[in-house]
Amino acid sequence: MTQTNLVEQFVTQVIAASDNAELDRIYLTNQVLALVGDEARSVVTTSTVLIDLKDELVAAAVKNGHCGSTFNEQDILGAQLMNLLVPRPSIVNRQFWQTYQEKPEQAIADFYQLSKTSDYIKTRAIAKNIYFVTPSDYGDLEITINLSKPEKDPRAIAAAKKVKATGYPLCQLCMENEGYLGRDNYPARSNHRIIRFKIDDEEWGFQYSPYAYFNEHCIFLSSKHEGMKISEKTFTRLLNIIEQFPGYFAGSNADLPIVGGSILTHEHYQGGRHNFAMMKAKITTKLNFKGFADVEAGIVKWPMSVIRLRSQNKKQLVALANKILQAWRQYSDEQVGVRAFTGETPHHTITPIACTHGDQLELNLVLRDNQTSSKYPDGVFHPHQDVQHIKKENIGLIEVMGLAILPPRLKSEMQEVRKFLLGDKNKIAAMHLPWAEQIAAQNKITAANVDAVLQSELGKVFAKVLADAGVFKQTQVGQAAFMRFIKSVLN
């Protein structure tokens, strides 16, 4: 393999992957040396892959003392190096919207490619995730064990405690993250860019998720740091987004704790180019709402409680979605433990998802209830204790649609369960033992089928997780209760 100078090769690849020209070579070289130290001039490489070259430069900077040894310090330097190939925000936006005028999908594809090339989307880290599909009564569920996000370095945690809080950026979804250097307790964003767009008269931003869970996983964020709120405006915005970004779905986490997402302090939605199991699920019961003749409606065959609305009439679609939201906010049914309030504390909200279906606009409205009780202190409509050995975290937008995001601990824990099932020496965790014994009793386990059986059983657990989060259960009693709510909306 041919050896070349590391700095020269990195600059060559930056020029090839960006709008930089050969005339910029000396300038780019000096920018690199300013970041990694003049000592890097003597380092050689056999690589021609841009991200690999970046990593080698970071390693050289660590070796010569220009960069610290923690992940955060190295990530900050890596983002600065990759920022050399990313145009300024004004140029990125100008190029996006110039292309958009003729070819909207090409503009989106170009921005997606830029976000990957610049290592803002962590493609190599994402590739570490464990992913498989498993059949269920509700269609093929997707399972991921999330290994892409780096584990927190104890040294970085210690250093972060010493960092004085600045309040800037206010959160990781604020516009101020664009180009932000990062620090011990905050991610590197030097190579981050945001596309600005309008929803009515409001300024919004479009960016990709650094640690994507599905194809073209993106985020639409408000320019204002205001808390999330599901309202009539939410439905209008989501439909506006899918019209502006063809081929994408857009959805919102719920706006209450337990049933909401991880960040409730900043209004934002998620989207991407992916067809989830819930979107493919069929209608079990058709519904007709008086005064909304232009809207097709129905209850979806799904473990959570979903009402699907379709129409070409956006105004009617939004109006009916809002009517259902307002009814659900106030609705209680003691027969099935559904309560809108405890005192003045509200429990009911909706997780809405917008997409297109042929020439129709579609809204899927997932009913959510965030009650707790002495029996279910983590949440009545939340993963119950019998499945928390696999999944205890909140069920947010992505999981609602049928893609499980399971914690990284499961990679090693499932290896021990696998050994147990095969009768090998193991260190199975006590919390997994009853589940593993049940699997062993119900299946004839061999070396040839153990992985398939384990994946199938994880899928069953995820289906149970979704059922736990479902307000109206998939039983005669539950579905009768669902229809009582529908009738309350009709009234």
Side-chain angles (χ1 to χ4, degrees):
M1 300 178 75
T2 304
Q3 288 190 337
T4 58
N5 181 275
L6 175 58
V7 174
E8 288 181 9
Q9 186 62 253
F10 178 75
V11 170
T12 296
Q13 296 304 321
V14 166
I15 292 171
S18 68
D19 291 339
N20 289 291
E22 188 60 32
L23 187 61
D24 299 314
R25 180 174 291 275
I26 294 174
Y27 166 81
L28 289 169
T29 298
N30 286 326
Q31 293 297 302
V32 171
L33 294 175
L35 292 169
V36 303
D38 287 352
E39 297 90 336
R41 291 172 59 218
S42 61
V43 181
V44 295
T45 183
T46 58
S47 179
T48 58
V49 178
L50 186 57
I51 295 177
D52 289 343
L53 294 166
K54 178 264 293 183
D55 288 344
E56 290 180 34
L57 283 169
V58 171
V62 172
K63 185 176 180 180
N64 66 33
H66 273 73
C67 179
S69 59
T70 68
F71 171 83
N72 282 26
E73 291 169 305
Q74 294 175 43
D75 196 38
I76 287 170
L77 176 57
Q80 288 178 287
L81 287 166
M82 298 307 284
N83 186 48
L84 294 174
L85 67 88
V86 188
R88 297 191 308 275
S90 59
I91 298 172
V92 172
N93 274 265
R94 183 169 69 243
Q95 291 173 342
F96 180 92
W97 290 112
Q98 284 176 346
T99 303
Y100 187 96
Q101 298 309 310
E102 298 293 330
K103 298 179 179 179
E105 291 197 348
Q106 186 61 53
I108 295 168
D110 289 348
F111 183 55
Y112 181 56
Q113 185 59 49
L114 175 66
S115 300
K116 289 193 295 182
T117 302
S118 66
D119 199 37
Y120 178 72
I121 299 176
K122 305 295 184 183
T123 53
R124 289 190 308 180
I126 294 165
K128 298 176 184 177
N129 290 343
I130 295 170
Y131 172 88
F132 57 90
V133 174
T134 181
S136 77
D137 292 339
Y138 305 100
D140 289 340
L141 299 178
E142 298 172 276
I143 311 294
T144 62
I145 297 178
N146 178 27
L147 304 173
S148 59
K149 290 187 178 180
E151 293 186 19
K152 292 185 177 180
D153 188 323
R155 294 169 299 171
I157 294 172
K161 290 179 179 179
K162 299 177 183 178
V163 175
K164 184 177 180 180
T166 65
Y168 181 88
L170 283 174
C171 79
Q172 293 186 29
L173 292 176
C174 284
M175 294 281 193
E176 289 77 17
N177 285 277
E178 190 173 45
Y180 185 69
L181 180 65
R183 54 184 190 266
D184 282 324
N185 61 348
Y186 204 90
R189 291 291 182 262
S190 292
N191 55 340
H192 176 37
R193 300 294 184 268
I194 302 172
I195 299 298
R196 271 58 166 193
F197 71 102
K198 293 283 189 179
I199 300 180
D200 295 327
D201 293 326
E202 301 175 332
E203 184 181 54
W204 280 68
F206 162 55
Q207 66 182 53
Y208 285 100
S209 174
Y211 296 98
Y213 293 125
F214 51 85
N215 188 38
E216 298 185 41
H217 182 183
C218 63
I219 300 169
F220 305 98
L221 52 99
S222 173
S223 62
K224 300 176 182 177
H225 181 75
E226 296 178 343
M228 290 184 64
K229 181 174 176 58
I230 303 298
S231 67
E232 183 174 22
K233 191 176 285 188
T234 306
F235 308 128
T236 300
R237 288 171 177 161
L238 293 176
L239 294 172
N240 185 300
I241 286 170
I242 64 171
E243 288 177 323
Q244 289 196 61
F245 295 86
Y248 276 20
F249 81 90
S252 176
N253 271 305
D255 56 352
L256 292 176
I258 298 177
V259 297
S262 58
I263 301 178
L264 299 180
T265 56
H266 194 116
E267 188 76 89
H268 71 286
Y269 312 126
Q270 296 182 70
R273 197 181 302 277
H274 192 73
N275 196 16
F276 292 86
M278 191 199 73
M279 295 173 174
K280 293 180 276 189
K282 304 297 183 182
I283 295 294
T284 58
T285 306
K286 290 187 177 181
L287 304 172
N288 292 294
F289 291 91
K290 185 178 180 181
F292 297 93
D294 289 345
V295 182
E296 298 176 19
I299 294 174
V300 180
K301 184 183 179 182
W302 194 244
M304 297 186 72
S305 304
V306 187
I307 301 170
R308 179 175 293 157
L309 309 177
R310 286 178 182 161
S311 182
Q312 292 180 326
N313 187 329
K314 184 161 67 171
K315 187 176 180 180
Q316 279 217 336
L317 200 58
V318 169
L320 179 53
N322 188 53
K323 183 179 177 70
I324 293 169
L325 171 65
Q326 298 309 321
W328 179 240
R329 294 272 196 202
Q330 305 297 321
Y331 186 79
S332 295
D333 187 339
E334 292 292 339
Q335 293 182 57
V336 288
V338 169
R339 299 177 185 87
F341 294 90
T342 298
E344 295 183 358
T345 302
H347 294 311
H348 287 178
T349 185
I350 280 176
T351 298
I353 302 106
C355 59
T356 55
H357 183 81
D359 60 353
Q360 292 182 305
L361 298 170
E362 177 177 301
L363 283 173
N364 289 280
L365 309 179
V366 188
L367 307 181
R368 310 301 302 273
D369 182 320
N370 80 339
Q371 289 182 74
T372 59
S373 69
S374 57
K375 184 177 181 181
Y376 299 113
D378 297 315
V380 175
F381 301 101
H382 178 83
H384 292 169
Q385 290 181 343
D386 62 327
V387 294
Q388 287 185 4
H389 65 106
I390 299 295
K391 176 70 173 177
K392 186 176 181 178
E393 297 78 12
N394 293 11
I395 304 305
L397 170 69
I398 297 168
E399 286 158 323
V400 161
M401 295 185 287
L403 196 165
I405 303 167
L406 302 181
R409 62 177 172 82
L410 288 178
K411 180 182 179 181
S412 58
E413 290 175 7
M414 289 303 102
Q415 287 298 318
E416 298 305 317
V417 172
R418 185 181 188 276
K419 292 175 186 176
F420 173 86
L421 294 174
L422 290 171
D424 296 339
K425 186 177 180 180
N426 64 80
K427 297 180 180 178
I428 188 171
M431 63 180 176
H432 293 309
L433 188 56
W435 178 62
E437 289 174 337
Q438 184 181 44
I439 294 172
Q442 295 175 348
N443 298 273
K444 185 176 181 180
I445 305 295
T446 67
N449 73 3
V450 63
D451 292 325
V453 169
L454 196 48
Q455 287 185 0
S456 176
E457 294 299 327
L458 282 169
K460 291 176 184 177
V461 170
F462 181 48
K464 172 65 166 52
V465 163
L466 294 177
D468 286 348
V471 177
F472 298 116
K473 306 304 182 186
Q474 297 293 314
T475 62
Q476 285 188 340
V477 172
Q479 292 306 292
F482 203 160
M483 289 308 299
R484 287 198 294 275
F485 169 65
I486 296 298
K487 290 177 182 177
S488 77
V489 177
L490 294 173
N491 296 333

